[in-house]
Amino acid sequence: MNSDDASFRITRACAATLMLSLSACAVNPATGGRMFSLVSEGQEIEMGQQAMLQVDAGMGLYDSPGLQAYVDSVGQGMAAVSERPDLPWSFKIVDDPVINAFALPGGPVYLARGIMAHFNSEAEMASVLGHEIGHITARHSVEQISRAQLMQIGLVASVVLVPELRPFGDVLGGGLGILLMKFGRDDESQSDELGFRYMTRLGYDPQGAVDMFEILERQRDASGGAIPEWQSTHPDPGNRVLAAEQRIATSQIEGGVVRQDQYLRRIDGMMFGKDPSQGFFVEGRFVHPDLRLQFRFPEGWDTQNVPTAVLAQSPEGDAVMQVTLAEGATPEEAATAFFDQQGLERLGARSRTVNGLRAVQGTFRVTTEQGTLDGQALFVKHGDLVFRFLGYTPTSRMGTYAVTFERALESFAPMNEERWINLEPRRLDIVRVPSEMTVERFFMRFPSTVTLETVRRINGWRQGHVIAEGSFAKRVVGEGVPGDE
Ligand SMILES: [Zn+2]
């Protein structure tokens, strides 16, 4: 620990001079290696804390104080044995069904509830927390930001002035895209190594890392969650499972703390898959049971439902539609606030009704450094809320999309169907297996509302696995969102 402390001080001293001279030198606190950085530790923490507020508010945290406290206590224990124990560490579960975890600069670590559902022990969870802690102690996102800042100095970035019209995928808002960017393969290997260090320092069985990497390697990027999946932000450095096994062999650490039953009991009843109350696509339309609304995007468009917006992109990628909440108490107020923005020109607007709802519809033009965009906007009052429905495309393409936009905007309507309003989410149900049985037998005896393959995957069972008498196992109950597997 002494040499680690020394290198930590060097980094701080170096960062202080750096601010003045802009010469970049630093020693990595976790690895002791030299690193390139334009970001001081104070800036690193500040950036991470700002982004944390955006994630907490924008993505939303999973509503279970007990589970949140549990994840935080395990994470804090691991951070305390890292090279940077004094950072403002926090460990939270975001309310997202995807299999992912991510770290923000200087302390905040997040697990998606989807990855929580795939852990089968505290040791497995500790391996992922350790990996994310490693990204922070080794300052990987800070290095990425330094590179991105350099790019901005060297290149003229083409900026869309109107924040509502940021490109598809940047709806999470200011700067978060940069913070969730993909790490390099070297960073991944290094974080695996650091994660191994932290979990074994606390006496966890490092086999948990092997089991977890196997699950993550088998996972495919498929779901439409708000945050990307593990593989897209943590690229596989190659032979990750083998590397983890070799680490165990070299260290000669055998066994350790696993806490399988304790972990499974904690996640009993946890939501699994999409939360119907946040809205979903079904039968060619988007329905939102809590907001009692529905609308249609054109067939064949890529769609995404994130906490702040519902989005669609044309197959050619040259047109975008999005539905969000608008500012203002009336459609008129919301329209004025939108059309009065700098860089945006109103081409026309009129009051109308859409499926019995009061609305303002208009067309607009935005000038960007790459040319002009034309769009249609609908501001519509439903209940106590005003919604904004936008469709836009390069001016030269408006002829192609004008009718498509018009049709989509006019599909905005109230939704009062009981079957969608009362839809129950899927949940994990932890079962104590009464006698030794095969996976197939378990599936018959304790039915799930997901496929046998999914049950196998979330339990980490390989082909031919036999479940031991008295062990705990996961099944999934509740109807869930149609088509969500
Ligand atoms: Zn990673």
Side-chain angles (χ1 to χ4, degrees), residues 429 431 441-450 455 474-478:
D429 178 34
V431 176
R441 176 96 193 105
F442 172 81
F443 191 64
M444 278 168 55
R445 180 98 185 255
F446 302 97
S448 280
T449 52
V450 294
V455 172
K474 296 169 191 160
R475 71 164 173 162
V476 178
V477 297

Side-chain angles (χ1 to χ4, degrees), residues 42-89:
Q43 289 170 314
E44 177 189 1
I45 291 171
E46 174 65 21
M47 265 188 300
Q49 297 295 308
Q50 290 287 338
M52 181 178 82
L53 298 176
Q54 286 183 36
V55 171
D56 290 0
M59 291 186 187
L61 301 178
Y62 181 57
D63 184 16
S64 170
L67 214 49
Q68 296 282 2
Y70 168 61
V71 168
D72 192 59
S73 81
V74 173
Q76 296 292 352
M78 297 187 75
V81 300
S82 78
E83 294 79 6
R84 307 178 77 188
D86 298 329
L87 288 176
W89 293 98

Side-chain angles (χ1 to χ4, degrees), residues 131-132 135 183 187-188 191-192 230 233-235 240:
H131 176 97
E132 298 303 330
H135 279 310
F183 291 117
D187 293 344
E188 286 306 302
S191 284
D192 286 354
W230 176 271
T233 49
H234 305 264
R240 182 171 235 162

